[in-house]
Structures are given as C-alpha cells and as structure tokens.
Amino acid sequence: MRIPINWLKEYVKLPGKLTDLTDKLTMAGHMLDKLDKVNNNIVIDLELRGNRADCYSILGIAREVSAIFKTPVNYPKIFNKASKAPKLNDIKLKADTNYLRRVMIATISDIKLTPSPLWLKQRLEEYGVPSINNIVDLSNYVMIETGQPLHTFDFDRVGKNLTIRQAKKGEQMTTFLEETINLTEDDLVWANQTSVLSIAGAIGGKVHSISNETKNVLLEGASYNQANIRRSVHRHNLLTDAGIRHEKNLDPNLVEFGIYRFLELIKENKWGKIENNVLDYYPNVTKPWKLSLNFDYLNSLSGSITEPKKVVEILKRLDFKILKEDLKDLEVACPNYRTDVKSEEDLIEEVLRIDSYDKIPSRVLSLEVPKDITLSYINQEKDLKDNLTSIGFDEVISLPFVKEDMRELNKSLINSGSPVKVVNRPSPDIEEMRMTMLPNLLEFTQKIINERGTEVRLFEIGKIYFKKTNKYHELRKAGIIYWSKGNANFFKFKGYIESLFSKMNLKNFKFSTADLPITNITNSYNITSSGQVVALGGEIEDCYYLEIDLDSLLSKNLKPSVNLWPKYPPQIEDLTFVIPERTKIGEVVLSIKLVDDKIAEVELKDIYKDSYTFRIWYQDKNKTLENDEVEKIREKIIKELNHRGVRIKN
Amino acid sequence: MREEIQNLKNEALAQIMEAKDSNELEGLRIAYLGRNGKLTKLIKEIKGLSDSEKKEVGRLINESKNAIFETITSKKNQLKVVKREWFDPTIPGKKYKIGKLHPTTQVINEMYEIFKHLGFSIIEGPEIESDVYNFEKLNLPKDHPARSLQDALYIEEPDVVLRTHTSSVESRALETLKPPFRVVVAGKCYRYENVNATNNAMFYQFQGFAVQKGISMADLKGALYSFVRSFFGEKREIRFRCKYYPEVEPGAGLDLDCLFCNKKGCSVCKGRGWIEMLGSGMIHPNILRSFGYDPKKISGYAFGMGLDRIVMDRFKISDIRSLYNGDIKY
C-alpha cells in the first residue's frame, strides 16, 4: 500500500531519516517495496501482510510506527456521536443474510457537490486513486485514512426500503465503471424493491451512485463475512480498494470510526446537513479477547531470552492490555482491531518482531542430529543421472504435459489407464499429463536436428502420470533417446545401454521383441531382469528410444563388484561366420559361450553383409592354453554353429 | 682387460658427445650396450678370469655401463632442448562427447549436499495432490486470503490439484515420520499461469522442515544462515525479517543483498536493494496440533524457496521458459 509520508506525519512523529523508518518497518513485517514521489511528496509503498487488515490504512501504519519508535498516535477528530437507532428517518433496512456482521447508515441532506479542494485531490493523487467529486473523494479519503471502506448512494434514487441479501439467480448489476456483472447466489448485495444497488464490499452500481444531480446522500459503512466477500471479489475480479480491505478480516468496531470521521469532515467542510440519527445494526458485538503468554514458551520458541519486563512493555506499546502478570505467565486483552492475533504464538511473534528478529541468535547443530532417512530411490536417481552423463547423454527437464499434436504418442507405452488432465488449463499445451517421457524427448531431439546438430543423446528422469481404477498413479521413469546423422543404428544404441547397465551393476538382463500399444514405434522390444520387465524400447523417426522403469529396477540387486585380470593370458582370435537371415545374433553369441567354460568372452566385432566377425577369448584360470587345446574348442564352436545353419567363412 | 674396458668407455663417451641426433645415439647405445654390443661382449669374457679378478672386472664393467648409459641420457635431453621434431599443440582435439546435468539438477544436488551436512535427509512426495494435503492441513482453509496467491491447476475441482508448493510434502511427512526428523524436498510444483519470460506453469521449489523437541527460531536462523553462506558465499549480507505465511507462526523472510547494484536499487531487485530469497518460520501450532502434537512439547521449523530464479541467476539465463523447453545447448 502506498503511504504518503506527509499524511502519515499527521498522526505520528517520524524518525529524522527516512531509511530509519523504512528499515524498521521492513524488519517488523511491512517491507518497503518502492519509493515514489508525487507532488514533491515522498510516498513509500509497503508490501503489507495479508492477515493485517488493520494496516491497510494510514492510521494502521501510524500505530505500527508508534509501537516501533515509542511515540504516541494522534488520532484524528471524529464527529460528536449522534444517537443511534434501529430505524432512521423511516429507512427500513432488512438484513437477510448471515454474512453481515455490522452496518451503519447515516444520511446527509442538501449536499454541496463540488470538485474536491486541492488538499483532498492531492492526497488521493499521492495514494493513487482518481479524484471524482468531493463526496466520493471523501469516502475514499476516510477509507485510506482509517481502513474502513465507505459507500455513498444517491438517497433519492435508492429509496427507503433497503435489503442486504444474497443475489438471486439471473440477477445482474452494471457497475459505475459500466461493466455488467452476472451475479450468483453466493454474492452479497445491497438492493431495494426493484434492483440491485451494489455488490457488498466490492463495487457500487451505476444507477444509484452519486451523480451531478444528487441532492441527498445515504452513507453506509459495513463489516461482512470476509470469506464471502473474498469469493465475490475473486469471482468477478473486483479487487477494488474496498474489495481488498473487505476480503480481509476487518474489525466491525472500525465501522463506527469510519462513519463518524466522514461526518466530521462533512461538517468541517460544510458540505451538507447531517441528520441527527445514525442507524446501527450490530447483532454480535466484538469485544477484546483474552490470550495468555508463557515466558518460557516464548524463550523456547525464539531460542533467546526476552525479559518479562520487556515483553510487557512491547505488548503495551501495541495496545494490548495486561490483565494479569506473574513470574511465569501473562494474560492480555487484545485490541479489537488486531484480528490477526488469535493464539499465544501470534503474541510471541508480536514481541519478537517489535524487538527485532536481529536479536534472535543463529545456532547450528545445537541439537541431536536425527538419523538419515533419505529415500533409497533419491540416491538411485542421482547415480543414474551421473551414469548417463558419463556415457555422453545430456539431461533435459520438460514440463510433464504433452502438447496437442503429440497426444497420440502419449499412449505409446501404456495401454492400461487413462491420461490425467488439468480441468482449468491455462493453455492447450498445459492440459494432458505425460504417460511416457517419449513425446517431449522426441520434440527436444527434433529441435536439435533442426538446429543442424549431428548427434543427439538426451535423457530425462521424472514421473509419468495416469489414472487407473479411479486412482492417480505416478511412476518414476528414465527416458533415453539417441539419434545420429546418417549412421545411428540399434547396434550402437544398445552399446550405450549395455555400458549403462554395466555401470549400474545390472546383470542378467534380456532383450526380447515386444509389441507396443501403438505402431508408430517400430522394432520394439523389452528388457527383462529376472522375469520382470524393466524397460521398453523401439525406433521412431530414426531415433532410438528406451524408457526404464525405475521402481522395478530398485528392487534388483545392484551391488557393485569388480573383476580382476586373470593370471594367465588369453588366446584371442577373430572368427567370421556366414549367418542366414532372421537369425538372432544374441542367441548365436550365447551358444558360442556355452560351448566350453574356457571361452571367457565373445564380442561381435563387425558385420559385413551376412558375415559376422566375433572376437573370442579362450582362457583357463589355471594355466596358459596351448594351441591344440584352443583348436579343439574352435572345432566345437564350428560344429555347434553348423547345427544352426551357421557356417564359418573360408 | 682393465685397460680394454677403460678404452672402450672413453671411446664410447667421446662418440656420444659427438652425436648429432637421437638416431645416432640409439645406434651407439646398441653398439656398446646392446645384446651384441662391445661392452656386453666383454662381460662374456669374464668367465675365464680368477675369482678375485672377476669381482674387480665386473665392478669396472658395471661402472662403465652406467657411465655410458647416463651420458647417452643426458645427451638425449640436451639434443631435445636444442632441436625438436615439428609438433603442433594448437591442433584441435578430437571431440569426445560427455553428458551434462541439467542446471536445475546441479543446483538441487549442491543444496542437498549442504543440507546433508546440517543433518537433513532427502524425501519426496506426490505431485497430484488432494486439497487436504496441499491446503487444508497446512492451515490454509478454503477462502483463506493466501490461497489467491497460488491459483492451482485442478485435476478434479475442487479436491484434486497439482501441488502448488512442496509444503504438501510437509503435511505428508508430519503424518508418517516420527520426530526428531529434518528433511529437505526438491521438486516440481504447478500453478495457473499464463506462461511468459518470468512465469511458468511449472516451477521448482526447494523446501525443508525439522521437527524436534526444543527446536527454535535460533536453530532455523542458524540452518538458513549456514546454507546461504555456503551456497551464495560468505560475504553476502543477509536480512532476516518478520514475514507472514499462513503455514508458520512466527514467520520470517530471508533476503540477500542485491549484487547487481550493491543495495542501491536496480531493475533486478526492483529498486529494493534486496532480493527476497526464501520464506520460513516455526511450524504453525494449528498444523502441529492437527497431527496430534502439543506445540509446547514439540516444535518445528519450515522454510521454502523457488529454485528457478536461483538457477537462472547462477547460469545467466534470462527467460524461465528456456530452462524446461529444450533450449539449453549443452
């Protein structure tokens, strides 16, 4: 809220330096947002706390300054209280709602409607509301000064039969800003027999506002149920100056102060004739409430010692009344306007913030350190990310939504369950949540290809989301994608994956062909480990993709182990075989390995047309193999493969 | 024979000193010390000598061998200094692709590491969340003024949302974990937002909370100051001030001095001279009570911060969208 310094000065003595004032206010909870100058007067813009309804006024801030700097508040003069009555000059007010806490009405006749005098115009300009005429401006002025929103009607237009009620279905109102609002049954309105006059606490109607023809004014100030006003204000986007105050928990006792302050200024300026009676509807009077404060609790919560004497002194500066005090506890009566102070902890904050948070010491590890309960999958994800980067893949993070043109792909890996959707989407791209990491990775890959990249290696680790049997599921996945200009193939991609698995210490995994729910993905397969599917993969748009299910990997035994170099050297030779089409090479490799336990390793080195070259390691743990021993094993290999229709070249 | 050895050694040393390049030196090495070298041949002749002579001559041969070898080595080094083969160290290396972690991951990892030293564990929670855990249990009943600040993305109105903050994990932790505990959470959060350079519908938050008998604002301040100093640097100025958050009481905000303007006020800090870094406070007694704790017997603190701005600042990224739309060039 914008606080013109000159205006604030009228009610409280300010420190000599402006930064003294703004620094202390900031520390106490009202941060200086901006500094401004209007009409050569300094205006400080404070970011106020949402629960301090009392601070949305010059007087509210004056009270804070008074408490911080130990100087008294000079309250402005108010009208000599007129007598109050349930009815007023024949005005009948019907309060047909539980949302009304208090309302006061006064009438002013024979008003002198003029442009506002300079002082009033300037004040409003400094605060930041436009000047309209003296009556409307005055109600704004008093609202800014006291925090109580006031509203003026053209008395002759609204008539004498008034109701405060919830709107009926289909009712409409056009605001003085010429905007027509369709009301709901939850909106609280002022109405007469024929029409809606205003939306309570938010905005007045066009027809019944003060106009150039207005002769007599009906002034109202009220206090409503905060939640109801808040709903209306946000439903219809009516964050007016009145609205932002009424949506907070205002003190109903403030209504009286606001009304009488307005009347006082009418009187002083001779802008109309004030009727003697004021209507006051206030069914449940709010009285100061009691709270207690335990000194030990204060000290244990703050971690420092505040002397009881100081506690008492600070609370007094803040208008709290001390009812009882002993060595351990304090009982106080809270001022009516401090609607935010409801608990002992609130009182504790009051003491600490006025004393300054700077006095709280900073302690590290003074308490016992609790045991480590870090979830194992957090470490797993971290390791996996490090392993993937070590084999040359870059990590990306995307918004877990699938763009409209990619929705078909969203069902590519999951065929049970339905996508989770945002019902109030801010844009079409932020609606359907991903069921696979593929669409976004594919889009990012495409982007790099378009930027003339020659190779793409990306991964994303995150969640996928779906709904199944009325429950929402979130599963952790790692999506891995590979593309290379002109020379990507499954052989290379699988090499990366095998290196990854080896780094993860994942052993005994098996690649098998597997069908996926949609056919955009070709050459699809799965990877199983002890019978459980741990990953799905395939080819799409020349990209190789694999999605690993992290939760199913977590249960696997991924204990690290090391291999030592064998004592006796191996004999190594390359054998080239001619292999018929549609032979599973993985099975060929396996069958070579199974021929003899002295075959330590078999590696596919090269493929040329139908010729496959394997590098074979012959090795014995206990001795160096002789040539004739190797020869025998080689013959066994050739014989074994012959059964499969594979023959050695040359 | 002794003389023969001495002559051989002198002849070798003289030739070595005359040598012009490393090839010539290698030739000399082979000629004297090689398998059929002149000195090696002499060793074979030792057999026929008497025992005492064997000892004497053996020592002499060894000395000569060492002398020749050392001279060759030093001459080699000398030749290198004087003259070297053509070698171009400016030639670009063959590209070797290594992967990089996303900037946000790097920042999260660093923060995890700092908080681990302060006794914190790492946990997580769901992103699709009920109104209860996201709001109600955090002292944010319906119609609470603070709710408008975080308009949710709804999966089902009004009860299922995409979490608007990581505080939802706090309510789940309070339900399942037994004090004492200290945990941090980092993760995706969502809000209704029209996407632009500074706002995104998804953002990352980093949150921590500790529940323990006797834990106080002094402990909160200590943990935050330690974190800030290790993450942002020892010299940063810190402002720890009163601030309102419905989830805590008392509440505190932590600001850092603006490095761009030295606290004078600039566009980065919106003229304030300070950058708001995180929100914190003592866990609200209503929250503690709703999970069955007596606030006078057990207390807790909580803190939270947005990560994206910190990441953008660290990696000099000016548009928040580029963090999560594949724009980062690795």
Side-chain angles (χ1 to χ4, degrees):
Chain A
M1 180 179 149
R2 291 168 59 86
I3 309 281
I5 289 294
N6 272 349
W7 198 348
L8 181 63
K9 238 195 274 185
E10 284 185 14
Y11 314 114
V12 70
K13 187 171 171 290
L14 302 180
K17 268 170 71 187
L18 183 69
T19 48
D20 255 8
L21 173 71
T22 53
D23 284 353
K24 288 250 168 72
L25 279 171
T26 297
M27 286 301 289
H30 315 291
M31 187 183 72
L32 176 68
D33 192 1
K34 279 184 213 91
L35 268 179
D36 197 8
K37 232 176 194 180
V38 182
N39 301 330
N40 235 2
N41 286 324
I42 294 166
V43 180
I44 55 173
D45 195 348
L46 302 179
E47 189 185 275
L48 297 178
R49 302 170 45 142
N51 64 339
R52 287 294 300 272
D54 64 305
C55 281
Y56 283 72
S57 62
I58 310 287
L59 268 170
I61 296 303
R63 276 194 296 255
E64 288 288 297
V65 173
S66 141
I68 296 167
F69 293 96
K70 305 184 200 179
T71 57
V73 179
N74 310 311
Y75 282 92
K77 214 178 153 195
I78 59 169
F79 190 69
N80 269 336
K81 288 188 185 181
S83 58
K84 291 185 212 165
K87 271 206 283 180
L88 172 72
N89 296 346
D90 307 328
I91 291 180
K92 272 192 218 139
L93 178 78
K94 206 170 138 203
D96 197 8
T97 172
N98 291 325
Y99 291 142
L100 179 67
R101 300 175 70 195
R102 185 181 192 177
V103 61
M104 288 181 79
I105 293 177
T107 53
I108 303 143
S109 50
D110 299 329
I111 57 150
K112 209 173 104 194
L113 200 66
T114 63
S116 288
L118 192 64
W119 65 268
L120 181 52
K121 264 189 188 161
Q122 283 188 345
R123 280 280 149 89
L124 294 187
E125 194 183 338
E126 287 158 23
Y127 174 80
V129 291
S131 169
I132 294 167
N133 57 48
N134 58 344
I135 301 297
V136 173
D137 287 0
L138 191 62
S139 61
N140 280 331
Y141 178 88
V142 174
M143 171 183 69
I144 298 160
E145 183 187 47
T146 67
Q148 174 62 47
L150 299 171
H151 191 227
T152 49
F153 288 111
D154 185 320
F155 189 23
D156 302 307
R157 289 193 187 170
V158 296
K160 293 181 175 180
N161 272 307
L162 302 172
T163 313
I164 302 173
R165 60 167 169 83
Q166 280 153 262
K168 291 170 195 148
K169 227 179 180 169
E171 270 187 318
Q172 285 189 327
M173 191 197 83
T174 302
T175 70
F176 73 88
L177 296 170
E178 310 272 354
E179 196 190 341
T180 300
I181 290 171
N182 295 311
L183 298 161
T184 75
E185 288 171 57
D186 188 48
D187 293 321
L188 195 63
V189 296
W190 283 65
N192 60 17
Q193 290 116 313
T194 53
S195 52
V196 174
L197 312 173
S198 72
I199 300 175
I203 199 159
K206 181 189 168 196
V207 183
H208 305 91
S209 296
I210 307 291
S211 71
N212 290 338
E213 288 99 57
T214 302
K215 298 206 164 52
N216 302 302
V217 165
L218 184 139
L219 169 75
E220 60 97 344
S223 183
Y224 307 103
N225 173 293
Q226 156 271 328
N228 172 273
I229 302 297
R230 202 188 106 75
R231 289 195 295 270
S232 292
V233 160
H234 287 271
R235 185 180 297 127
H236 304 301
N237 201 13
L238 294 173
L239 272 170
T240 56
D241 271 298
I244 59 166
R245 287 171 174 84
H246 273 302
E247 71 145 14
K248 295 176 179 75
N249 211 348
L250 279 171
D251 170 21
N253 295 309
L254 189 62
V255 175
E256 198 169 330
F257 187 68
I259 291 277
Y260 287 129
R261 177 66 179 150
F262 184 94
L263 296 180
E264 170 66 21
L265 289 170
I266 290 284
K267 189 187 89 179
E268 283 178 13
N269 289 288
K270 302 192 177 77
W271 284 340
K273 194 177 146 228
I274 297 157
E275 297 299 327
N276 249 346
N277 288 342
V278 171
L279 182 146
D280 188 4
Y281 173 79
Y282 192 9
N284 297 304
V285 176
T286 307
K287 288 187 180 136
W289 54 97
K290 288 177 193 170
L291 284 176
S292 58
L293 174 70
N294 178 282
F295 294 120
D296 284 345
Y297 185 41
L298 165 76
N299 292 336
S300 80
L301 208 56
S302 70
S304 59
I305 306 282
T306 312
E307 292 299 325
K309 219 177 99 185
K310 182 143 208 185
V311 176
V312 168
E313 187 245 336
I314 288 174
L315 288 175
K316 278 183 177 165
R317 267 148 66 185
L318 286 162
D319 272 358
F320 289 86
K321 281 203 175 61
I322 310 297
L323 301 175
K324 260 190 240 164
E325 184 191 346
D326 60 32
L327 287 174
K328 286 180 169 169
D329 299 280
L330 204 59
E331 190 179 72
V332 301
C334 301
N336 276 319
Y337 60 85
R338 288 305 302 271
T339 53
D340 61 308
V341 179
K342 289 170 201 142
S343 67
E344 189 171 1
E345 292 79 6
D346 293 327
L347 275 180
I348 290 172
E349 185 183 78
E350 288 306 303
V351 174
L352 297 178
R353 77 180 179 95
I354 296 298
D355 200 26
S356 177
Y357 278 14
D358 276 344
K359 293 197 181 150
I360 296 170
S362 146
R363 277 202 311 242
V364 182
L365 299 181
S366 58
L367 298 163
E368 177 206 343
V369 176
K371 68 169 188 270
D372 188 3
I373 48 166
T374 299
L375 297 167
S376 53
Y377 66 72
I378 301 222
N379 295 327
Q380 181 200 24
E381 272 181 28
K382 192 178 175 298
D383 289 347
L384 184 57
K385 284 179 182 181
D386 288 341
N387 289 338
L388 277 160
T389 53
S390 78
I391 57 164
F393 283 75
D394 292 317
E395 188 195 11
V396 294
I397 298 177
S398 65
L399 268 64
F401 301 96
V402 178
K403 292 186 177 156
E404 265 181 321
D405 53 346
M406 295 287 225
R407 298 269 163 87
E408 184 57 29
L409 273 186
N410 203 20
K411 296 182 188 82
S412 55
L413 297 188
I414 287 190
N415 52 5
S416 65
S418 52
V420 176
K421 288 193 177 188
V422 171
V423 292
N424 59 332
R425 62 172 201 188
S427 75
D429 286 346
I430 296 164
E431 183 182 17
E432 183 169 309
M433 300 196 79
R434 66 181 174 209
M435 296 207 288
T436 156
M437 317 292 279
L438 173 62
N440 292 348
L441 277 170
L442 197 59
E443 187 200 326
F444 288 9
T445 300
Q446 209 57 57
K447 193 174 226 166
I448 298 173
I449 295 174
N450 292 344
E451 296 288 341
R452 318 239 160 159
T454 52
E455 195 195 58
V456 180
R457 284 187 239 172
L458 295 178
F459 75 93
E460 178 170 15
I461 290 179
K463 285 175 171 175
I464 61 141
Y465 317 77
F466 61 93
K467 193 179 184 182
K468 196 175 169 184
T469 55
N470 258 335
K471 270 194 189 139
Y472 295 99
H473 299 266
E474 298 177 23
L475 299 179
R476 299 176 316 110
K477 302 277 179 182
I480 305 168
I481 199 160
Y482 168 65
W483 172 87
S484 184
K485 195 172 185 176
N487 63 354
N489 54 41
F490 178 69
F491 185 47
K492 277 190 182 169
F493 183 57
K494 191 170 168 182
Y496 289 128
I497 300 305
E498 283 172 336
S499 302
L500 173 68
F501 283 1
S502 139
K503 267 212 100 172
M504 289 165 71
N505 299 300
L506 181 68
K507 292 179 184 105
N508 304 322
F509 50 87
K510 201 177 137 196
F511 285 69
S512 325
T513 54
D515 290 332
L516 296 179
I518 62 163
T519 51
N520 307 33
I521 301 177
T522 55
N523 295 334
S524 56
Y525 58 92
N526 66 24
I527 304 176
T528 50
S529 173
S530 36
Q532 190 187 8
V533 175
V534 295
L536 293 172
E539 240 180 282
I540 180 164
E541 295 172 22
D542 294 333
C543 297
Y544 292 84
Y545 181 71
L546 182 74
E547 189 161 297
I548 304 176
D549 183 61
L550 297 184
D551 294 301
S552 54
L553 267 194
L554 198 61
S555 58
K556 304 284 175 238
N557 187 15
L558 302 176
K559 293 249 168 65
S561 60
V562 292
N563 296 316
L564 302 178
W565 289 106
K567 257 188 176 159
Y568 300 95
Q571 291 229 31
I572 303 168
E573 69 174 352
D574 290 354
L575 296 178
T576 303
F577 291 95
V578 177
I579 299 181
E581 270 181 41
R582 295 177 179 265
T583 303
K584 288 185 175 164
I585 305 298
E587 289 176 9
V588 173
V589 170
L590 193 64
S591 63
I592 298 174
K593 274 185 188 161
L594 289 174
V595 162
D596 197 296
D597 62 1
K598 292 187 189 65
I599 297 173
E601 219 176 310
V602 179
E603 191 188 322
L604 175 61
K605 284 303 283 185
D606 198 20
I607 307 169
Y608 179 72
K609 291 184 180 165
D610 57 353
S611 299
Y612 290 75
T613 302
F614 298 98
R615 179 157 293 178
I616 296 165
W617 278 257
Y618 304 95
Q619 196 159 28
D620 192 312
K621 269 186 224 158
N622 304 313
K623 59 172 184 144
T624 306
L625 286 173
E626 301 291 336
N627 285 347
D628 56 336
E629 288 173 294
V630 170
E631 173 113 31
K632 274 182 198 153
I633 303 172
R634 184 190 309 123
E635 272 162 18
K636 272 160 81 182
I637 294 172
I638 293 167
K639 205 173 149 194
E640 169 64 29
L641 292 189
N642 258 330
H643 291 310
R644 298 174 160 266
V646 173
R647 56 180 180 79
I648 191 149
K649 201 159 184 177
N650 304 326
Chain B
M1 190 164 185
R2 239 173 274 168
E3 215 167 302
E4 207 178 326
I5 297 169
Q6 199 60 48
N7 288 341
L8 205 59
K9 177 182 153 190
N10 290 342
E11 178 196 319
L13 294 185
Q15 284 180 335
I16 291 167
M17 296 315 284
E18 297 288 299
K20 299 259 169 355
D21 56 37
S22 55
N23 287 339
E24 204 176 319
L25 276 175
E26 182 59 14
L28 286 170
R29 189 189 66 79
I30 294 166
Y32 288 95
L33 305 178
R35 213 187 290 174
N36 293 309
K38 291 177 184 170
L39 202 60
T40 320
K41 270 185 189 154
L42 279 181
I43 296 172
K44 289 171 188 163
E45 285 170 29
I46 289 180
K47 276 180 197 163
L49 297 175
S50 70
D51 281 0
S52 65
E53 269 182 326
K54 264 187 198 166
K55 217 175 177 185
E56 169 81 42
V57 172
R59 189 180 54 77
L60 209 62
I61 293 179
N62 250 339
E63 273 176 16
S64 307
K65 221 171 121 181
N66 289 342
I68 294 170
F69 185 77
E70 274 166 30
T71 314
I72 291 178
T73 312
S74 76
K75 181 71 186 179
K76 243 188 207 167
N77 288 337
Q78 200 187 326
L79 280 176
K80 264 186 203 160
V81 176
V82 177
K83 188 190 161 199
R84 65 191 305 168
E85 314 289 318
W86 168 247
F87 166 64
D88 177 14
T90 70
I91 188 170
K94 182 164 163 48
K95 251 196 189 144
Y96 179 77
K97 174 86 171 67
I98 46 158
K100 291 200 182 117
L101 291 174
H102 190 275
T104 304
T105 302
Q106 293 180 44
V107 165
I108 290 173
N109 285 349
E110 192 179 332
M111 288 186 178
Y112 277 162
E113 217 43 56
I114 295 169
F115 279 104
K116 267 189 204 165
H117 289 295
L118 295 167
F120 284 79
S121 299
I122 307 162
I123 61 164
E124 263 188 17
E127 290 168 29
I128 300 172
E129 195 47 286
S130 67
D131 185 86
V132 175
Y133 287 101
N134 195 71
F135 293 120
E136 297 275 337
K137 281 184 184 267
L138 291 167
N139 204 32
L140 282 160
K142 293 209 163 62
D143 300 318
H144 193 286
R147 277 207 183 191
S148 63
L149 297 174
Q150 36 186 320
D151 285 321
L153 288 179
Y154 283 92
I155 300 301
E156 281 173 34
E157 254 171 319
D159 288 327
V160 184
V161 299
L162 288 177
R163 71 176 176 205
T164 58
H165 46 199
T166 36
S167 306
S168 59
V169 186
E170 179 184 329
S171 37
R172 286 184 174 270
L174 278 165
E175 195 167 73
T176 51
L177 298 179
K178 289 263 173 306
F181 62 81
R182 278 176 221 168
V183 291
V184 283
V185 181
K188 297 184 173 87
C189 302
Y190 305 84
R191 65 187 160 204
Y192 187 94
E193 193 83 60
N194 290 314
V195 177
N196 59 36
T198 48
N199 293 304
N200 214 344
M202 180 198 86
F203 57 102
Y204 268 81
Q205 268 197 347
F206 192 95
Q207 179 120 9
F209 36 96
V211 179
Q212 190 163 13
K213 189 177 164 55
I215 211 162
S216 69
M217 285 190 87
D219 298 302
L220 167 67
K221 202 173 172 180
L224 294 181
Y225 276 49
S226 300
F227 160 69
V228 165
R229 295 218 159 105
S230 12
F231 189 87
F232 295 101
E234 286 293 326
K235 287 184 182 153
R236 295 298 290 272
E237 232 182 295
I238 306 172
R239 193 165 73 177
F240 187 70
R241 62 186 167 90
C242 180
K243 196 167 183 209
Y244 169 66
Y245 299 97
E247 304 97 320
V248 289
E249 190 67 47
L254 189 146
D255 309 332
L256 286 185
D257 56 337
C258 179
L259 287 184
F260 292 88
C261 61
N262 250 333
K263 292 205 307 181
K264 287 191 185 76
C266 65
S267 63
V268 175
C269 58
K270 295 176 195 148
R272 293 168 181 166
W274 294 87
I275 306 221
E276 290 184 87
M277 202 47 70
L278 54 84
S280 65
M282 301 306 290
I283 296 176
H284 200 285
N286 291 351
I287 299 177
L288 288 172
R289 268 191 291 270
S290 78
F291 288 101
Y293 295 113
D294 176 353
K296 293 212 168 165
K297 288 191 179 136
I298 202 142
S299 50
Y301 64 68
F303 58 85
M305 65 191 123
L307 274 183
D308 303 309
R309 250 192 26 212
I310 296 171
V311 174
M312 288 163 73
D313 188 38
R314 173 156 294 196
F315 292 87
K316 309 276 171 267
I317 297 168
S318 57
D319 187 329
I320 192 168
R321 287 168 296 194
S322 51
L323 273 179
Y324 308 118
N325 67 358
D327 267 358
I328 297 171
K329 192 181 170 204
Y330 290 96

